[in-house]
Amino acid sequence: MSAPCPVSWMLYRFAIMPASRRFAPPAVRVALAASLSWLPACTLVGQKTFNPHAGDPPRVVIPPPPPTQVRHVPPLIEIMAGTPVAQWQADLKKGVADALARKPNVLFTVVSVIPDAGTADEQAALLSHVVATDAQSVAAEIVQDGADPAQMEMTATTDRAASAPVIRIYVR
């Protein structure tokens, strides 16, 4: 960045000088002509004189998404999809009764989990099948065991660690 022109005041004075006095002696004309050689090195004072980033378009900084919450809490009960109701009904009834005894307004979260494999369409079809058959029957059984329907929450997800579809029941 070059410095402001040191002879700019001479040029300014010459510009506002009356026309009758503009014809200066030869020595002044030589000094003025010599000062014009400095003109290309002069810079105008503008936005970027004091801030080199003035006028630049703003940089949009998108913060990274918050980390996903991984449930480290073990489920109250985990039921393999396709298991007959008679095999898990007694354990579920005992788990629901214990949870309601400890906290009457407990929230039961029924999570349908499938392996993270295949295409998105295959996963969607498998999830809808697991939710429609196994998760719905587990939720109905929890309500039949004494929980209010407002205490139910159902979700579905994929998990890389899962080897087969499962239904997990969490309590909060």
Side-chain angles (χ1 to χ4, degrees):
M1 185 164 98
S2 55
C5 189
V7 291
S8 60
W9 62 274
M10 287 179 63
L11 295 173
Y12 175 73
R13 297 228 16 194
F14 183 73
I16 64 167
M17 190 180 299
S20 61
R21 295 192 56 193
R22 281 198 187 150
F23 299 105
V28 173
R29 281 190 227 155
V30 170
L32 189 58
S35 69
L36 289 177
S37 66
W38 284 72
L39 211 58
C42 297
T43 58
L44 297 174
V45 177
Q47 290 182 16
K48 296 197 177 227
T49 303
F50 303 107
N51 182 3
H53 299 293
D56 292 350
R59 291 185 187 168
V60 178
V61 178
I62 300 173
T68 57
Q69 293 181 346
V70 178
R71 291 186 188 252
H72 296 291
V73 179
L76 176 68
I77 297 174
E78 185 171 289
I79 303 167
M80 296 298 289
T83 306
V85 176
Q87 290 183 2
W88 51 262
Q89 189 174 23
D91 292 333
L92 182 64
K93 184 174 188 108
K94 183 180 180 310
V96 169
D98 289 345
L100 288 171
R102 288 186 185 162
K103 185 177 176 185
N105 63 345
V106 68
L107 176 67
F108 294 95
T109 304
V110 179
V111 181
S112 301
V113 180
I114 64 165
D116 191 12
T119 65
D121 292 335
E122 292 170 349
Q123 289 178 357
L126 181 59
L127 270 176
S128 63
H129 173 72
V130 169
V131 168
T133 57
D134 298 313
Q136 288 288 344
S137 62
V138 169
E141 198 64 36
I142 290 174
V143 170
Q144 188 178 359
D145 290 341
D148 190 56
Q151 292 177 285
M152 294 294 306
E153 177 182 63
M154 291 184 67
T155 62
T157 186
T158 61
D159 187 5
R160 292 183 187 200
S163 59
V166 295
I167 309 299
R168 296 178 182 157
I169 297 104
Y170 294 95
V171 290
R172 268 195 276 178

